[in-house]
Amino acid sequence: MIIKPRIKGFVCITSHPTGCLENIREQVAYAKSQEIFHEHKPKRVLVIGSSTGYGLSSRISAAFSCGADTLGVYFERPPAGERTASAGFYNSQAFCKLAKEAGLQAEDINGDAFSNEIKDEVVVKAKEFGGQFDLVIYSLASPRRTDPKDGVSYRACLKPIGAIYKNKTLDTDKQEVKEVTIDPASEDEIAQTEKVMGGEDWESWTDVLLDAGLLSPNCLNIAYSYIGPQVTQPIYRNGTIGQAKLHLENSAARISEKMRNAGSGKAYVSVNKALVTQASSAIPVVPLYVSILYKIMKEMGTHEGCIEQTCRLFKDRLYGEGDTLVDEENRIRLDDWEMDPIVQEKIIEIWPSITTENLKELTSFELYQEEFLKLFGFGRNDVDYELEVDPSASL
Ligand code: NAD
């Protein structure tokens, strides 16, 4: 069949297997150019949330910059008849194909990472896979979580706390800049978001891996966070998701302590840059901010995508010279170039003047759209989208 993008709101419900494969090839080529020679570079890596965005790029950096074997956990839809798989499914197939061609082990587990079953499956597979991990990347982004302890399900929401939030936002579908008004979250919504996106599940994963003796003495255990600028603060950092991220960041010290006591390395949170991913496109205001950010950072020559971010994380922060560089809260900062005061002053200057009419002139919205389509394997110049493809064929 011929596969075209079908966009519904902030998601694309189709994805293109050949386009996804080419996306992975491109990231692999970049990761290979960033080879790491550190004596403790990881040999066996577990990536939780490995199929798209930051987790996928982390896996590619681990395999192709460090030569590591990787076990990936994700939750993706396989193809069914005429229905394409989700992009993350094709991405993972493509990754495994390229890793195996390069002589690396690559195994996948597709299922709910919040559940006990999937954690148990990882323990079993890890033992077959060769044993201890020397790097764990926790990169889940999910709107819901069922706590396996009691079977209660929680939903995350993206709301301000304490006051109504009013600001500009971008309707990416209609290409319209408009006002958004969001009511503040209730206490219950704040608590539920923390349950989903806070550090509880990261800690459960660490407990399971420690109990099974699966973390090596030099293991690094990394989760991702975001802080962001003034313009998104009420909806992001000071909102429900920001509370959850604070919980995640506070969990790092406790998780690190447990690992140290077991002689199994340490944990860090890495604060990354705002980028177009499936998760970030769902957050109000963020697509507009990212469109402006991309333009400024491109002009300054500091723009990075997921793979450039994860390669810098590996090369400069985790496996660079000297100790891991952290801020006063013990967080790794990969958002340093985004938060550069020159960049942020320009954002504050441009923000009030953006309208639907000048959107393309004052922001990199076209690049945003290209990157969004690319997430699903579309819009690549090197793929013939008129060719028939079988959505169920193995890559
Ligand atoms: P993403 O949507 O691209 O990836 C999410 C991953 O989680 C996918 O692999 C998906 O399959 C997996 N996943 C979701 N629910 C799951 C479940 N129940 N079981 C197993 N796997 C599941 O998201 P992303 O933007 O790459 O976000 C990853 C992390 O990076 C998040 O913690 C996010 O807050 C953080 N981060 C993102 C940005 C950004 O701008 N995108 C910036 C800084 C930090």
Side-chain angles (χ1 to χ4, degrees):
M1 66 189 255
I2 296 195
I3 307 171
K4 298 278 173 194
R6 281 182 55 208
I7 297 171
K8 287 213 166 137
F10 47 77
V11 288
C12 181
I13 57 171
T14 52
S15 62
H16 202 284
T18 323
C20 290
L21 174 61
E22 293 311 318
N23 283 343
I24 304 296
R25 262 195 230 287
E26 193 174 274
Q27 292 201 32
V28 164
Y30 182 80
K32 278 186 178 167
S33 76
Q34 302 295 308
E35 193 175 349
I36 287 167
F37 300 98
H38 196 279
E39 60 170 322
H40 293 311
K41 72 178 180 182
K43 295 183 186 63
R44 204 169 299 111
V45 177
L46 170 65
V47 183
I48 304 158
S50 64
S51 54
T52 55
Y54 272 113
L56 171 65
S57 296
S58 307
R59 189 179 192 188
I60 295 173
S61 293
F64 291 95
S65 301
C66 303
D69 294 330
T70 58
L71 179 55
V73 181
Y74 53 80
F75 208 4
E76 298 291 349
R77 187 188 72 227
E82 291 279 284
R83 199 162 153 229
T84 71
S86 55
F89 186 90
Y90 292 135
N91 289 342
S92 304
Q93 267 198 343
F95 171 85
C96 288
K97 169 186 158 71
L98 298 183
K100 284 175 185 163
E101 281 172 10
L104 301 169
Q105 276 198 83
E107 292 286 334
D108 283 358
I109 295 179
N110 188 2
D112 181 7
F114 296 125
S115 69
N116 289 338
E117 291 72 21
I118 291 297
K119 290 183 175 79
D120 293 345
E121 207 178 318
V122 164
V123 169
V124 171
K125 224 170 201 160
K127 289 184 178 158
E128 296 164 11
F129 199 61
Q132 292 186 324
F133 296 109
D134 28 37
L135 175 66
V136 176
I137 300 279
Y138 184 85
S139 186
L140 294 183
S142 173
R144 67 190 75 82
R145 168 179 171 225
T146 301
D147 186 341
K149 282 198 203 95
D150 50 17
V152 177
S153 293
Y154 300 91
R155 292 194 75 86
C157 70
L158 295 158
K159 289 190 175 183
I161 295 176
I164 292 176
Y165 175 63
K166 263 193 192 169
N167 205 338
K168 279 183 185 176
T169 194
L170 177 58
D171 183 327
T172 47
D173 242 5
K174 295 188 185 140
Q175 311 192 9
E176 227 174 67
V177 178
K178 56 183 194 188
E179 273 277 301
V180 64
T181 305
I182 308 172
D183 285 332
S186 65
E187 286 302 320
D188 180 51
E189 286 173 318
I190 299 169
Q192 291 213 28
T193 308
E194 191 177 288
K195 269 290 216 183
V196 180
M197 287 297 286
E200 196 176 86
D201 181 61
W202 183 29
E203 192 164 348
S204 304
W205 268 101
T206 310
D207 290 342
V208 166
L209 295 167
L210 280 173
D211 282 352
L214 281 173
L215 302 183
S216 77
N218 287 316
C219 183
L220 293 176
N221 184 2
I222 312 289
Y224 293 144
S225 188
Y226 184 63
I227 294 177
Q230 206 185 38
V231 284
T232 63
Q233 228 156 57
I235 186 73
Y236 198 94
R237 191 66 193 186
N238 296 338
T240 47
I241 181 74
Q243 279 295 305
K245 287 297 183 191
L246 194 62
H247 185 272
L248 179 89
E249 289 167 22
N250 291 338
S251 306
R254 204 171 41 250
I255 291 174
S256 227
E257 179 73 25
K258 285 185 178 177
M259 291 175 69
R260 241 193 323 271
N261 291 341
S264 299
K266 45 191 162 183
Y268 290 103
V269 160
S270 172
V271 181
N272 298 353
K273 178 198 182 197
L275 281 174
V276 184
T277 65
Q278 293 189 38
S280 71
S281 40
I283 307 174
V285 191
V286 167
L288 182 56
Y289 167 69
V290 167
S291 302
I292 307 172
L293 183 72
Y294 275 22
K295 185 172 168 72
I296 296 168
M297 292 185 81
K298 279 235 158 205
E299 283 167 3
M300 289 176 66
T302 55
H303 174 70
E304 296 173 296
C306 282
I307 192 67
E308 288 83 4
Q309 278 264 295
T310 58
C311 284
R312 190 152 69 90
L313 171 68
F314 278 59
K315 212 175 165 79
D316 287 1
R317 305 298 206 266
L318 303 183
Y319 307 108
E321 282 171 22
D323 289 339
T324 305
L325 193 66
V326 289
D327 68 7
E328 61 287 354
E329 316 276 346
N330 213 37
R331 301 171 298 202
I332 296 170
R333 300 300 295 264
L334 280 183
D335 63 341
D336 46 351
W337 299 348
E338 170 183 357
M339 299 313 282
D340 176 346
I342 301 176
V343 173
Q344 290 304 321
E345 275 159 29
K346 286 189 181 172
I347 302 262
I348 291 169
E349 193 184 303
I350 295 173
W351 190 267
S353 50
I354 308 277
T355 60
T356 303
E357 291 68 38
N358 64 23
L359 180 67
K360 290 189 178 154
E361 179 200 332
L362 294 185
T363 79
S364 284
F365 178 56
E366 277 159 353
L367 177 60
Y368 179 94
Q369 285 179 304
E370 277 168 29
E371 296 267 305
F372 179 78
L373 276 179
K374 209 173 154 189
L375 295 177
F376 305 93
F378 295 110
R380 293 191 61 97
N381 295 329
D382 52 1
V383 173
D384 183 350
Y385 293 100
E386 299 308 320
L387 279 185
E388 292 273 343
V389 270
D390 175 356
S392 301
S394 295
L395 287 174

